[in-house]
Amino acid sequence: MKFRQENRIKQIKEFIDLVENHKIDLRHYKSPVLVWAIQEGTVYYSFWEEDLLMRFGVENVDGWDYEEDQLFCPDWIADPDDDDDDDLDDDDDDDLGLICNIKFDRKP
């Protein structure tokens, strides 16, 4: 299994809310990092302290503390290339400019 990490607190809180794991208390961590891997529709995850994970590296993680069905996890868990959902693409901005600059000829 290849583990991935997420250190943005907003994403971590979203994950915890969706999986409804009441055993997790983020107050115990100075800088929490969610570390997870997916295998056959199951998400295997745990929480690490950021400095500890930086010291050993996410590629050396070989275990987990909790399991959850992937259906109950946020969509960004499954897609490693989806970093910024909230930002518009540059292509989208160009299309909006074209739509706004259309002029119609009026016939008398």
Side-chain angles (χ1 to χ4, degrees), residues 1 15 19 21 37 41-46 64-70 72-73:
M1 267 191 285
F15 179 84
V19 299
N21 189 340
T42 302
V43 177
Y44 301 94
Y45 65 98
S46 60
W64 60 88
D65 296 321
Y66 308 103
E67 299 176 15
E68 187 64 55
D69 193 319
Q70 189 175 350
F72 299 109
C73 297

PDB file of all heavy atoms in Angstrom, residues 1 15 19 21 37 41-46 64-70 72-73:
ATOM      1  N   MET A   1       0.837  -1.187   0.000  1.00  0.00           N
ATOM      2  CA  MET A   1       0.000   0.000   0.000  1.00  0.00           C
ATOM      3  C   MET A   1       0.879   1.247   0.000  1.00  0.00           C
ATOM      4  O   MET A   1       1.870   1.291   0.717  1.00  0.00           O
ATOM      5  CB  MET A   1      -0.872   0.039   1.259  1.00  0.00           C
ATOM      6  CG  MET A   1      -2.219  -0.568   1.077  1.00  0.00           C
ATOM      7  SD  MET A   1      -3.335  -0.248   2.458  1.00  0.00           S
ATOM      8  CE  MET A   1      -2.703  -1.346   3.679  1.00  0.00           C
ATOM      9  N   PHE A  15     -12.664  15.371   6.859  1.00  0.00           N
ATOM     10  CA  PHE A  15     -12.525  13.919   6.904  1.00  0.00           C
ATOM     11  C   PHE A  15     -13.088  13.354   8.201  1.00  0.00           C
ATOM     12  O   PHE A  15     -13.875  12.402   8.191  1.00  0.00           O
ATOM     13  CB  PHE A  15     -11.043  13.542   6.748  1.00  0.00           C
ATOM     14  CG  PHE A  15     -10.795  12.067   6.814  1.00  0.00           C
ATOM     15  CD1 PHE A  15     -10.939  11.279   5.683  1.00  0.00           C
ATOM     16  CD2 PHE A  15     -10.427  11.460   8.002  1.00  0.00           C
ATOM     17  CE1 PHE A  15     -10.716   9.913   5.735  1.00  0.00           C
ATOM     18  CE2 PHE A  15     -10.200  10.102   8.071  1.00  0.00           C
ATOM     19  CZ  PHE A  15     -10.350   9.329   6.937  1.00  0.00           C
ATOM     20  N   VAL A  19     -16.310  10.691   8.498  1.00  0.00           N
ATOM     21  CA  VAL A  19     -16.151   9.308   8.982  1.00  0.00           C
ATOM     22  C   VAL A  19     -16.744   9.119  10.369  1.00  0.00           C
ATOM     23  O   VAL A  19     -16.934   7.992  10.807  1.00  0.00           O
ATOM     24  CB  VAL A  19     -14.676   8.845   8.962  1.00  0.00           C
ATOM     25  CG1 VAL A  19     -14.121   8.883   7.559  1.00  0.00           C
ATOM     26  CG2 VAL A  19     -13.822   9.629   9.916  1.00  0.00           C
ATOM     27  N   ASN A  21     -15.576   9.454  13.383  1.00  0.00           N
ATOM     28  CA  ASN A  21     -14.734   8.701  14.308  1.00  0.00           C
ATOM     29  C   ASN A  21     -14.545   9.550  15.567  1.00  0.00           C
ATOM     30  O   ASN A  21     -13.767  10.496  15.574  1.00  0.00           O
ATOM     31  CB  ASN A  21     -13.389   8.365  13.660  1.00  0.00           C
ATOM     32  CG  ASN A  21     -12.583   7.414  14.500  1.00  0.00           C
ATOM     33  OD1 ASN A  21     -12.813   7.265  15.697  1.00  0.00           O
ATOM     34  ND2 ASN A  21     -11.618   6.759  13.871  1.00  0.00           N
ATOM     35  N   ALA A  37      -4.202   5.321   3.082  1.00  0.00           N
ATOM     36  CA  ALA A  37      -4.014   4.508   1.883  1.00  0.00           C
ATOM     37  C   ALA A  37      -5.345   3.838   1.585  1.00  0.00           C
ATOM     38  O   ALA A  37      -6.163   3.609   2.482  1.00  0.00           O
ATOM     39  CB  ALA A  37      -2.925   3.465   2.085  1.00  0.00           C
ATOM     40  N   GLY A  41     -11.495  -0.427  -1.839  1.00  0.00           N
ATOM     41  CA  GLY A  41     -12.637   0.304  -1.315  1.00  0.00           C
ATOM     42  C   GLY A  41     -12.599   0.600   0.177  1.00  0.00           C
ATOM     43  O   GLY A  41     -13.559   1.106   0.729  1.00  0.00           O
ATOM     44  N   THR A  42     -11.503   0.275   0.828  1.00  0.00           N
ATOM     45  CA  THR A  42     -11.343   0.556   2.258  1.00  0.00           C
ATOM     46  C   THR A  42     -10.210   1.553   2.435  1.00  0.00           C
ATOM     47  O   THR A  42      -9.144   1.406   1.836  1.00  0.00           O
ATOM     48  CB  THR A  42     -11.031  -0.722   3.042  1.00  0.00           C
ATOM     49  OG1 THR A  42     -12.089  -1.666   2.834  1.00  0.00           O
ATOM     50  CG2 THR A  42     -10.919  -0.442   4.530  1.00  0.00           C
ATOM     51  N   VAL A  43     -10.462   2.564   3.262  1.00  0.00           N
ATOM     52  CA  VAL A  43      -9.446   3.569   3.564  1.00  0.00           C
ATOM     53  C   VAL A  43      -8.811   3.212   4.905  1.00  0.00           C
ATOM     54  O   VAL A  43      -9.509   3.079   5.905  1.00  0.00           O
ATOM     55  CB  VAL A  43     -10.065   4.981   3.625  1.00  0.00           C
ATOM     56  CG1 VAL A  43      -9.035   6.010   4.011  1.00  0.00           C
ATOM     57  CG2 VAL A  43     -10.712   5.335   2.298  1.00  0.00           C
ATOM     58  N   TYR A  44      -7.504   3.058   4.897  1.00  0.00           N
ATOM     59  CA  TYR A  44      -6.741   2.770   6.101  1.00  0.00           C
ATOM     60  C   TYR A  44      -6.026   4.061   6.482  1.00  0.00           C
ATOM     61  O   TYR A  44      -5.286   4.612   5.670  1.00  0.00           O
ATOM     62  CB  TYR A  44      -5.729   1.654   5.840  1.00  0.00           C
ATOM     63  CG  TYR A  44      -6.390   0.371   5.376  1.00  0.00           C
ATOM     64  CD1 TYR A  44      -6.526   0.096   4.021  1.00  0.00           C
ATOM     65  CD2 TYR A  44      -6.884  -0.532   6.301  1.00  0.00           C
ATOM     66  CE1 TYR A  44      -7.139  -1.075   3.593  1.00  0.00           C
ATOM     67  CE2 TYR A  44      -7.493  -1.702   5.890  1.00  0.00           C
ATOM     68  CZ  TYR A  44      -7.624  -1.967   4.534  1.00  0.00           C
ATOM     69  OH  TYR A  44      -8.238  -3.119   4.120  1.00  0.00           O
ATOM     70  N   TYR A  45      -6.246   4.546   7.705  1.00  0.00           N
ATOM     71  CA  TYR A  45      -5.704   5.856   8.043  1.00  0.00           C
ATOM     72  C   TYR A  45      -5.246   5.941   9.491  1.00  0.00           C
ATOM     73  O   TYR A  45      -5.633   5.142  10.342  1.00  0.00           O
ATOM     74  CB  TYR A  45      -6.723   6.957   7.759  1.00  0.00           C
ATOM     75  CG  TYR A  45      -7.972   6.913   8.617  1.00  0.00           C
ATOM     76  CD1 TYR A  45      -8.081   7.727   9.732  1.00  0.00           C
ATOM     77  CD2 TYR A  45      -9.039   6.087   8.304  1.00  0.00           C
ATOM     78  CE1 TYR A  45      -9.227   7.705  10.516  1.00  0.00           C
ATOM     79  CE2 TYR A  45     -10.185   6.059   9.072  1.00  0.00           C
ATOM     80  CZ  TYR A  45     -10.271   6.880  10.180  1.00  0.00           C
ATOM     81  OH  TYR A  45     -11.405   6.847  10.963  1.00  0.00           O
ATOM     82  N   SER A  46      -4.410   6.928   9.731  1.00  0.00           N
ATOM     83  CA  SER A  46      -3.955   7.272  11.073  1.00  0.00           C
ATOM     84  C   SER A  46      -3.536   8.740  11.063  1.00  0.00           C
ATOM     85  O   SER A  46      -3.479   9.372  10.015  1.00  0.00           O
ATOM     86  CB  SER A  46      -2.796   6.373  11.522  1.00  0.00           C
ATOM     87  OG  SER A  46      -1.709   6.502  10.644  1.00  0.00           O
ATOM     88  N   TRP A  64      -1.541   1.420  10.182  1.00  0.00           N
ATOM     89  CA  TRP A  64      -2.637   2.360  10.339  1.00  0.00           C
ATOM     90  C   TRP A  64      -3.352   2.079  11.642  1.00  0.00           C
ATOM     91  O   TRP A  64      -3.192   1.022  12.246  1.00  0.00           O
ATOM     92  CB  TRP A  64      -3.605   2.263   9.167  1.00  0.00           C
ATOM     93  CG  TRP A  64      -4.206   0.899   9.021  1.00  0.00           C
ATOM     94  CD1 TRP A  64      -5.338   0.421   9.614  1.00  0.00           C
ATOM     95  CD2 TRP A  64      -3.690  -0.188   8.251  1.00  0.00           C
ATOM     96  NE1 TRP A  64      -5.567  -0.880   9.272  1.00  0.00           N
ATOM     97  CE2 TRP A  64      -4.563  -1.279   8.425  1.00  0.00           C
ATOM     98  CE3 TRP A  64      -2.582  -0.353   7.442  1.00  0.00           C
ATOM     99  CZ2 TRP A  64      -4.350  -2.509   7.813  1.00  0.00           C
ATOM    100  CZ3 TRP A  64      -2.378  -1.588   6.826  1.00  0.00           C
ATOM    101  CH2 TRP A  64      -3.257  -2.635   7.020  1.00  0.00           C
ATOM    102  N   ASP A  65      -4.146   3.052  12.080  1.00  0.00           N
ATOM    103  CA  ASP A  65      -4.896   2.907  13.328  1.00  0.00           C
ATOM    104  C   ASP A  65      -6.373   2.622  13.103  1.00  0.00           C
ATOM    105  O   ASP A  65      -7.015   1.988  13.934  1.00  0.00           O
ATOM    106  CB  ASP A  65      -4.761   4.184  14.169  1.00  0.00           C
ATOM    107  CG  ASP A  65      -3.328   4.417  14.612  1.00  0.00           C
ATOM    108  OD1 ASP A  65      -2.643   3.437  14.962  1.00  0.00           O
ATOM    109  OD2 ASP A  65      -2.893   5.582  14.607  1.00  0.00           O
ATOM    110  N   TYR A  66      -6.927   3.127  11.997  1.00  0.00           N
ATOM    111  CA  TYR A  66      -8.367   3.023  11.762  1.00  0.00           C
ATOM    112  C   TYR A  66      -8.637   2.603  10.324  1.00  0.00           C
ATOM    113  O   TYR A  66      -7.813   2.805   9.435  1.00  0.00           O
ATOM    114  CB  TYR A  66      -9.050   4.372  12.009  1.00  0.00           C
ATOM    115  CG  TYR A  66      -8.721   4.983  13.346  1.00  0.00           C
ATOM    116  CD1 TYR A  66      -7.809   6.030  13.453  1.00  0.00           C
ATOM    117  CD2 TYR A  66      -9.321   4.511  14.506  1.00  0.00           C
ATOM    118  CE1 TYR A  66      -7.503   6.604  14.674  1.00  0.00           C
ATOM    119  CE2 TYR A  66      -9.021   5.070  15.732  1.00  0.00           C
ATOM    120  CZ  TYR A  66      -8.114   6.111  15.810  1.00  0.00           C
ATOM    121  OH  TYR A  66      -7.812   6.666  17.018  1.00  0.00           O
ATOM    122  N   GLU A  67      -9.826   2.039  10.116  1.00  0.00           N
ATOM    123  CA  GLU A  67     -10.301   1.656   8.788  1.00  0.00           C
ATOM    124  C   GLU A  67     -11.680   2.247   8.582  1.00  0.00           C
ATOM    125  O   GLU A  67     -12.470   2.348   9.520  1.00  0.00           O
ATOM    126  CB  GLU A  67     -10.407   0.135   8.662  1.00  0.00           C
ATOM    127  CG  GLU A  67      -9.127  -0.610   8.833  1.00  0.00           C
ATOM    128  CD  GLU A  67      -9.325  -2.119   8.785  1.00  0.00           C
ATOM    129  OE1 GLU A  67     -10.403  -2.578   8.334  1.00  0.00           O
ATOM    130  OE2 GLU A  67      -8.419  -2.845   9.222  1.00  0.00           O
ATOM    131  N   GLU A  68     -11.973   2.617   7.332  1.00  0.00           N
ATOM    132  CA  GLU A  68     -13.291   3.166   7.004  1.00  0.00           C
ATOM    133  C   GLU A  68     -13.606   2.812   5.556  1.00  0.00           C
ATOM    134  O   GLU A  68     -12.716   2.776   4.710  1.00  0.00           O
ATOM    135  CB  GLU A  68     -13.296   4.683   7.179  1.00  0.00           C
ATOM    136  CG  GLU A  68     -14.651   5.325   7.035  1.00  0.00           C
ATOM    137  CD  GLU A  68     -15.631   4.875   8.106  1.00  0.00           C
ATOM    138  OE1 GLU A  68     -15.320   5.000   9.293  1.00  0.00           O
ATOM    139  OE2 GLU A  68     -16.717   4.399   7.726  1.00  0.00           O
ATOM    140  N   ASP A  69     -14.878   2.563   5.287  1.00  0.00           N
ATOM    141  CA  ASP A  69     -15.314   2.334   3.919  1.00  0.00           C
ATOM    142  C   ASP A  69     -15.127   3.620   3.126  1.00  0.00           C
ATOM    143  O   ASP A  69     -15.445   4.711   3.603  1.00  0.00           O
ATOM    144  CB  ASP A  69     -16.787   1.906   3.909  1.00  0.00           C
ATOM    145  CG  ASP A  69     -17.210   1.359   2.572  1.00  0.00           C
ATOM    146  OD1 ASP A  69     -16.811   1.927   1.536  1.00  0.00           O
ATOM    147  OD2 ASP A  69     -17.960   0.373   2.547  1.00  0.00           O
ATOM    148  N   GLN A  70     -14.636   3.516   1.923  1.00  0.00           N
ATOM    149  CA  GLN A  70     -14.349   4.693   1.101  1.00  0.00           C
ATOM    150  C   GLN A  70     -15.601   5.515   0.810  1.00  0.00           C
ATOM    151  O   GLN A  70     -15.519   6.723   0.586  1.00  0.00           O
ATOM    152  CB  GLN A  70     -13.683   4.261  -0.200  1.00  0.00           C
ATOM    153  CG  GLN A  70     -13.156   5.410  -1.022  1.00  0.00           C
ATOM    154  CD  GLN A  70     -12.397   4.942  -2.244  1.00  0.00           C
ATOM    155  OE1 GLN A  70     -12.097   3.761  -2.383  1.00  0.00           O
ATOM    156  NE2 GLN A  70     -12.078   5.862  -3.114  1.00  0.00           N
ATOM    157  N   PHE A  72     -17.750   6.568   2.825  1.00  0.00           N
ATOM    158  CA  PHE A  72     -17.988   7.530   3.891  1.00  0.00           C
ATOM    159  C   PHE A  72     -16.879   8.574   3.998  1.00  0.00           C
ATOM    160  O   PHE A  72     -16.866   9.374   4.929  1.00  0.00           O
ATOM    161  CB  PHE A  72     -18.147   6.810   5.229  1.00  0.00           C
ATOM    162  CG  PHE A  72     -19.315   5.871   5.234  1.00  0.00           C
ATOM    163  CD1 PHE A  72     -19.111   4.499   5.230  1.00  0.00           C
ATOM    164  CD2 PHE A  72     -20.607   6.351   5.218  1.00  0.00           C
ATOM    165  CE1 PHE A  72     -20.196   3.619   5.231  1.00  0.00           C
ATOM    166  CE2 PHE A  72     -21.689   5.492   5.211  1.00  0.00           C
ATOM    167  CZ  PHE A  72     -21.481   4.126   5.204  1.00  0.00           C
ATOM    168  N   CYS A  73     -15.950   8.589   3.058  1.00  0.00           N
ATOM    169  CA  CYS A  73     -14.828   9.524   3.073  1.00  0.00           C
ATOM    170  C   CYS A  73     -15.032  10.614   2.023  1.00  0.00           C
ATOM    171  O   CYS A  73     -15.761  10.420   1.061  1.00  0.00           O
ATOM    172  CB  CYS A  73     -13.525   8.777   2.792  1.00  0.00           C
ATOM    173  SG  CYS A  73     -13.123   7.558   4.052  1.00  0.00           S
TER     174      CYS A  73
END
